Each structure stands twice: as structure tokens, then as C-alpha cells.
Amino acid sequence: MRLSALAGAVRAAAMTVVLVTGMGQAQAEDIRYFTIGTAGVGGTYFPLAGTIANSISNPPGSRACDEGGSCGVPGLVAVAQSSHGSVANVSAIASGGLNSGFSQADVAYWAYSGTGTFEGREPMRDLRVIAALYPEHMHLVASRSSGIASVRDLKGKRVSLDKTDSGTYPDALLILEAFGLAEADITAENLEPDSAAEALRKGNLDALFFSGGYPARVLAELAASTDVVLVPISGPEVDRMLVEHSFFIRDEIPDDAYPDMAGAQTVAVGAQWLTSLAESDDLIYGITRALWNGSTRHLLDVGHAKGASVTLQTALDGISIPLHPGAERYYREAGMIR
């Protein structure tokens, strides 16, 4: 969604709230909008952010939390906004184009420190964490007819590495490098997941990389309609890669994650919810408290399958940049920080 389209949707939402609740102008002016940058609508970020946005929202006129109504931040309307992914999100947060967004932990660290894929750029020192969310798994999906059975088999093949401002792209390059390949060794495409899946379905692509929590809708639909395989990302090459890039962990995508597609060993990296130091401490404190409210827990458990992995117990796992002071205040009160 472009920012202009978002602005139109926001204005329409405000009009709807006014008409339905009968609020006066003074009440309407109390509404505060809060954006959450995600990725493509076919991935995991977008539906999960939609659940979280609903949970932390509490427009004027809503029923009270203890009466079965909203338990979000009073006056807040949160909006999940599609984007190209992690790199785009951290850049938009730093520039003020987004209030918050989801990002892979490695991308967050690179942006904050001016290293990795952000080498040579001004470090984004105002980036802050609200919560760690869940592990994101690297998917390498290939058509069965391509004969691709390992990362090394990608040489000379048509492969989508995702958009260059996604979180998938820099990690895909690290994986290729670990297996002795470079971008020049493949016919690289930079397609967002939905477009890559469609190209693979039509035979215009041999394989695609996708980083996200399973099951991702776009890959579930691809697996249900096309003869594809999950290619393992494993072996001594991965052992060496993990020594150099400690944000990766070994993990697996299970057999039952996607229809008619066997699981595979792979690597994963943590997903985090980021914001800017410019956001007020009280607002982020209220958002963090709403995120871990019991009603939010229920919505996470019944929503996207990855929602069950978003827990207070793991909210501080793998955080490599500072917490926002508002979020830190909440975790300190919860006894998680001394």
C-alpha cells in the first residue's frame, strides 16, 4: 500500500468511526494512527501484523476491555501496511515514513550499526525494539522438474532472491556465498514472493528464496497447485556460515507445513517488532502492554499459525539493538529486566 493510499484509507476509517459512533469533532481529533510495516500480503508479516494492529487499537467509542471490548491503547488506530520487507521497513522507520515495522534481527542490527547490507550508510541509531516475535525460516523452493536438490544446484538456474530491500535478499546472498556461489553464478531475479511464485508456477523460474514464518500463504498456494520441493539448506557449509554469522540458527520446516511438500533442514533468524526512539515512551509502553494482554493472547492463538510462537517468555530473545524506553519500562515492571 502506498502512503497516499494509506492516507486515503485512514481518512475513510476516521469518517466511518465518526458516523458509526456519533462522536463530535473533539473526539475525532483524539484518534491517533500507528502504522506497522510488514512485507508482501502473501507472507507471514502481513496477517500477523493485522492481528496485532487489531489488538493494540482502541478507537474512541469502543467498549471497555473489562466489558469484552478493546484492550488496546485508548484512541489508537493501528494499521498493518504492506511493504517490500525488513530493509524497507527499517529505512521507513528511520525516515519517519512508518511508526513501526517488522524486521529480521540481522537486518535490524545491520541498520543500527551501519554494517552488513547497510555498510557505508549512516547508522540508524534511533531504531528501537518493542518485542522479539518468532523465528523466520529460510525457504528455498524449487520446481521438481528443475532437478535442484541442493544449494549448489542453483548454479546456472533462474532464481528469485526477493526484492533488494527485503530481508530475504541479503540472507540469500549469504547462503549462496556459503555454498561457493555468487549472484553472478545464477540468473537472478528480484521478485516479491507473489510474483516469484507465479513465475515458478508458469515455468519462468526454477527456484525462489523466501524468508518467513511457516506456513506462508503464498507458498501454501504454490505447493497446492505446482509440483515443487523444499531444498535443504544444511551441511558443513552451514556449519561454517553459523560461525561467521551468529544471528542464524539451525532449524527445520516440518513435513506438515505445506500440502504435498516434504519438509527440510534450513536456517532461521529472529523476527522483531521495531519502532523509533522518536515515538513517545507512554505510547510504546501502552502498545507493549496491549500486545501482552490476555485478549491479544487469544487473538494470536486463533489467528495465523505463527501467532502461537509470539510469547511474552520469548519477547527479549535475540535482541541485538536497544529496547524502546517505553517497552523497557513494561518488561521491567513484568520482572523480565532487573
Side-chain angles (χ1 to χ4, degrees), residues 14-24 27 59-62:
M15 288 298 294
T16 300
V17 171
V18 172
L19 291 173
V20 172
T21 67
M23 293 186 306
Q27 287 177 294
S62 299

Side-chain angles (χ1 to χ4, degrees), residues 180-239:
L181 299 176
E183 191 169 359
D185 293 319
I186 63 175
T187 301
E189 299 284 352
N190 298 113
L191 304 175
E192 58 187 8
D194 284 288
S195 298
E198 183 62 20
L200 201 154
R201 187 179 290 113
K202 291 181 176 179
N204 298 325
L205 202 65
D206 297 307
L208 64 87
F209 281 96
F210 171 83
S211 179
Y214 61 79
R217 177 189 60 78
V218 63
L219 298 185
E221 292 175 354
L222 176 64
S225 63
T226 310
D227 194 7
V228 290
V229 297
L230 270 173
V231 179
I233 302 173
S234 60
E237 298 88 351
V238 169
D239 296 340

Side-chain angles (χ1 to χ4, degrees), residues 8-237:
V10 163
R11 287 194 294 272
M15 288 298 294
T16 300
V17 171
V18 172
L19 291 173
V20 172
T21 67
M23 293 186 306
Q25 182 63 28
Q27 287 177 294
E29 290 173 351
D30 289 339
I31 299 175
R32 177 167 185 174
Y33 295 96
F34 189 84
T35 49
I36 306 173
T38 62
V41 296
T44 306
Y45 281 0
F46 189 79
L48 182 61
T51 298
I52 290 175
N54 288 337
S55 301
I56 67 174
S57 296
N58 189 352
S62 299
R63 273 192 304 166
C65 179
D66 58 6
E67 296 176 358
S70 173
C71 298
V73 178
L76 191 73
V77 176
V79 181
Q81 181 175 326
S82 64
S83 75
H84 288 162
S86 295
V87 175
N89 290 342
V90 296
S91 298
I93 293 168
S95 68
L98 286 171
N99 299 111
S100 72
F102 291 176
S103 171
Q104 294 173 189
D106 52 346
V107 173
Y109 174 76
W110 291 332
Y112 181 80
S113 61
T115 58
T117 194
F118 290 89
E119 185 75 44
R121 295 174 59 177
E122 188 72 22
M124 301 178 189
R125 293 295 190 184
D126 283 350
L127 284 177
R128 293 293 185 272
V129 178
I130 297 174
L133 298 173
Y134 63 89
E136 294 211 85
H137 294 76
M138 181 60 81
H139 298 63
L140 175 53
V141 180
S143 65
R144 191 178 299 276
S145 61
S146 70
I148 297 170
S150 71
V151 176
R152 290 187 185 279
D153 292 338
L154 295 177
K155 187 172 184 177
K157 301 293 187 179
R158 301 164 298 172
V159 185
S160 177
L161 304 177
D162 210 327
K163 305 293 286 186
T164 56
D165 54 357
S166 69
T168 299
Y169 177 76
D171 287 354
L173 293 183
L174 291 178
I175 291 168
L176 289 175
E177 181 183 9
F179 284 82
L181 299 176
E183 191 169 359
D185 293 319
I186 63 175
T187 301
E189 299 284 352
N190 298 113
L191 304 175
E192 58 187 8
D194 284 288
S195 298
E198 183 62 20
L200 201 154
R201 187 179 290 113
K202 291 181 176 179
N204 298 325
L205 202 65
D206 297 307
L208 64 87
F209 281 96
F210 171 83
S211 179
Y214 61 79
R217 177 189 60 78
V218 63
L219 298 185
E221 292 175 354
L222 176 64
S225 63
T226 310
D227 194 7
V228 290
V229 297
L230 270 173
V231 179
I233 302 173
S234 60
E237 298 88 351

